Amino acid sequence: MKLNVIFSPVQSDELFFTGKTTVVIDVLRASSTIIAALENGAKEVVPVGTIEFAVKVSGGMFGGQTLLGGERNTKKIEGFALGNSPSEYTKEIVSGKTIVFYSTNGSRAIVKAKYSDNLFICSFSNIEALADHLIKLNEDVLILCSGDNNFFSLEDSVCAGKLVKEITGKNSNVILTDSSNAARAMYKTFGKDIKKMLRETEHGQLLVKNGYENDLEFCSRLNGTNVIPVYSGSTLKVLK
Amino acid sequence: MKLNVIFSPVQSDELFFTGKTTVVIDVLRASSTIIAALENGAKEVVPVGTIEFAVKVSGGMFGGQTLLGGERNTKKIEGFALGNSPSEYTKEIVSGKTIVFYSTNGSRAIVKAKYSDNLFICSFSNIEALADHLIKLNEDVLILCSGDNNFFSLEDSVCAGKLVKEITGKNSNVILTDSSNAARAMYKTFGKDIKKMLRETEHGQLLVKNGYENDLEFCSRLNGTNVIPVYSGSTLKVLK
């Protein structure tokens, strides 16, 4: 079992993912939000690569059953019912609903990886559950950090490193690459206090500045949920 | 003074570098080789982005004064006088010569960064000298890791981290980004034994497999030279 990490989606193209088992991470905040939505009973999340496509897709579904959610450069999009704060995705609001979801980095990374054989979403909150599932699956795993507009994002890389550490801790038969080795080292250095780490990253600072400080608390939650979003037929649902 | 690191050239385009102070790193082996060539009296190194262009450029120069050097996927190129082993670039061979140089990752990264205001080449061997110069220059610095065919390379990132550490150790007024912070952490984890680190990277293993183990010794040399290659008018010369 080989674990590889890609620190930015721009480092690969769509066909690169064909046949692979891929894990997409966008700690701040898309993957945390998608997990929260499914945890709170959303029927499914449909990740889309453009805002225009989000509007088009949602128009074709049953009005009352579909919600548009997401953000562009951390801010809510005009005409969208929900932003990208995981705390907005409560039981009352999302239960039974289809969420059409766009975000600057996360949803686009998921769409880019759509040709994967297995495609899962990871945040700090479901790392243990996902690590156990990946060990059972016993395939090589490609961990794709959504990054920040093509650039490196520390929080995604530290989360990738935690997933690597969790898997290598439970399975001695794992091969690491340069990048998965580096990610694990980053978790070791920055992972002791996840909330502090999130506050100090570039994206964390931007969120605090824009009034989303509470989201850092939410997104720093380590483990505690067994919800693993899995991509199939263009939508994300809870892995059964 | 802000230090930023880009882990792969594919994360930016040529115009991104306009007006910037850029440091290009390709530890295995382009930047180590370029420094060795200039240390041993080469008049200049002309980095090129394609093999075809290397042949074209060298044809237009004075035959006896020009040498073609470099590699494609670690191997010497047919018709080229020199490969990409720094030990080939001896005084006897390169003194007074113009070297037209192509390599899979390094020379292409340099060419991509050509619109930089200041463009320097860094390997482990000139880190201290380069750090001192950058501190004097007192500009924001972009450290570009050449990476490995668009992917992450641990040795370049650890070298970038050592440069970050050297500068932050001598200058308390430095702002780090997510990536420069991560690179410094990688140096802390992997930098204790540089030769061992090089042997364990993906590219280091490939070089050993292809018979270039001696190059790892050469490329692991920390400091010891004051040669800083600087790019100007399409060529790299020793910074005076």
Side-chain angles (χ1 to χ4, degrees):
Chain A
M1 185 181 189
K2 186 174 175 177
L3 303 180
N4 192 19
V5 176
I6 294 185
F7 292 117
S8 163
V10 78
Q11 294 178 268
S12 54
D13 59 25
E14 289 189 349
L15 293 179
F16 179 78
F17 296 93
T18 310
K20 293 201 164 59
T21 291
T22 307
V23 171
V24 174
I25 295 176
D26 184 4
V27 173
L28 295 176
R29 299 165 285 173
S31 54
S32 307
T33 297
I34 289 165
I35 293 166
L38 292 174
E39 230 184 329
N40 285 328
K43 187 185 154 202
E44 60 191 356
V45 176
V46 184
V48 294
T50 65
I51 294 173
E52 294 65 30
F53 194 62
V55 175
K56 195 172 154 191
V57 170
S58 69
M61 296 186 178
F62 299 108
Q65 296 307 309
T66 305
L67 292 170
L68 279 170
E71 52 83 20
R72 181 163 46 187
N73 296 321
T74 79
K75 288 173 186 158
K76 195 165 152 178
I77 301 160
E78 213 188 311
F80 276 40
L82 297 163
N84 192 16
S85 288
S87 57
E88 291 179 71
Y89 291 69
T90 58
K91 271 198 180 65
E92 293 67 33
I93 292 173
V94 304
S95 183
K97 298 279 171 45
T98 292
I99 317 282
V100 178
F101 187 81
Y102 171 86
S103 71
T104 315
N105 303 300
S107 74
R108 288 163 63 199
I110 299 165
V111 170
K112 191 163 201 178
K114 65 188 169 192
Y115 296 132
S116 304
D117 256 10
N118 302 293
L119 175 50
F120 306 111
I121 307 301
C122 174
S123 192
F124 283 108
S125 62
N126 72 345
I127 281 186
E128 196 175 0
L130 182 56
D132 290 343
H133 181 67
L134 292 170
I135 290 168
K136 255 191 289 176
L137 206 59
N138 199 27
E139 300 277 355
D140 293 345
V141 179
L142 185 65
I143 306 172
L144 175 62
C145 297
S146 301
D148 183 13
N149 285 303
N150 294 346
F151 291 115
F152 178 84
S153 146
L154 187 62
E155 67 276 12
D156 292 348
S157 311
V158 170
C159 183
K162 172 65 174 163
L163 181 61
V164 170
K165 186 173 180 284
E166 198 74 18
I167 294 171
T168 52
K170 290 177 175 177
N171 186 341
S172 59
N173 200 15
V174 174
I175 299 165
L176 298 188
T177 61
D178 276 16
S179 54
S180 53
N181 201 359
R184 190 172 60 170
M186 284 183 236
Y187 175 73
K188 203 178 155 198
T189 305
F190 299 105
K192 278 163 209 122
D193 185 339
I194 294 171
K195 196 178 161 197
K196 180 170 173 279
M197 179 273 294
L198 292 184
R199 281 188 65 91
E200 288 171 359
T201 63
E202 289 167 82
H203 199 76
Q205 285 172 26
L206 185 66
L207 288 174
V208 170
K209 195 177 144 201
N210 289 341
Y212 296 110
E213 188 161 3
N214 287 342
D215 288 354
L216 302 189
E217 177 80 42
F218 199 106
C219 297
S220 67
R221 187 172 56 132
L222 182 61
N223 293 320
T225 179
N226 290 319
V227 166
I228 301 171
V230 58
Y231 187 86
S232 177
S234 299
T235 76
L236 293 161
K237 291 185 178 168
V238 177
L239 178 74
K240 299 288 182 196
Chain B
M1 185 180 189
K2 187 174 174 176
L3 302 180
N4 192 20
V5 176
I6 296 185
F7 292 117
S8 163
V10 77
Q11 293 179 270
S12 54
D13 58 25
E14 290 190 347
L15 294 178
F16 179 77
F17 296 93
T18 310
K20 292 200 166 57
T21 292
T22 307
V23 171
V24 174
I25 295 176
D26 184 3
V27 172
L28 296 176
R29 299 167 281 171
S31 53
S32 306
T33 298
I34 290 166
I35 292 166
L38 291 174
E39 232 183 324
N40 286 329
K43 186 184 154 205
E44 59 191 356
V45 177
V46 184
V48 294
T50 64
I51 294 172
E52 293 67 31
F53 194 63
V55 175
K56 196 173 153 190
V57 170
S58 69
M61 296 185 179
F62 298 110
Q65 297 307 309
T66 306
L67 292 170
L68 280 170
E71 52 83 20
R72 181 164 45 188
N73 296 321
T74 80
K75 287 173 187 159
K76 195 165 153 176
I77 301 160
E78 213 187 308
F80 276 40
L82 297 163
N84 192 16
S85 289
S87 57
E88 291 180 70
Y89 292 69
T90 58
K91 270 198 181 66
E92 293 67 34
I93 291 173
V94 304
S95 184
K97 298 278 170 46
T98 292
I99 318 283
V100 178
F101 187 83
Y102 172 86
S103 71
T104 315
N105 302 300
S107 75
R108 288 163 64 199
I110 299 165
V111 169
K112 192 164 200 178
K114 65 187 169 194
Y115 296 133
S116 304
D117 256 11
N118 302 293
L119 175 49
F120 307 112
I121 307 302
C122 174
S123 192
F124 282 110
S125 63
N126 72 346
I127 281 186
E128 197 175 0
L130 182 56
D132 289 343
H133 181 68
L134 292 170
I135 290 168
K136 255 192 286 176
L137 205 60
N138 200 26
E139 299 278 353
D140 293 345
V141 178
L142 186 65
I143 305 172
L144 176 62
C145 298
S146 300
D148 183 14
N149 285 302
N150 293 346
F151 290 116
F152 177 84
S153 146
L154 187 62
E155 67 276 12
D156 292 347
S157 311
V158 170
C159 183
K162 172 63 174 164
L163 181 61
V164 170
K165 187 172 179 285
E166 197 74 18
I167 294 171
T168 52
K170 290 178 175 177
N171 185 342
S172 59
N173 200 15
V174 174
I175 299 165
L176 298 187
T177 61
D178 277 17
S179 54
S180 53
N181 201 0
R184 191 172 59 170
M186 284 182 235
Y187 175 74
K188 204 179 154 194
T189 305
F190 299 104
K192 278 163 210 121
D193 185 339
I194 294 171
K195 195 176 163 200
K196 180 170 173 281
M197 180 272 295
L198 292 183
R199 280 188 66 90
E200 289 171 0
T201 63
E202 289 167 82
H203 199 77
Q205 286 170 26
L206 186 66
L207 288 174
V208 170
K209 195 178 144 201
N210 288 341
Y212 296 111
E213 188 162 2
N214 287 343
D215 288 353
L216 301 189
E217 176 82 39
F218 199 105
C219 297
S220 67
R221 185 172 56 131
L222 182 60
N223 293 322
T225 179
N226 290 319
V227 166
I228 301 171
V230 58
Y231 186 86
S232 177
S234 298
T235 76
L236 293 161
K237 292 185 177 168
V238 178
L239 179 72
K240 300 287 181 198

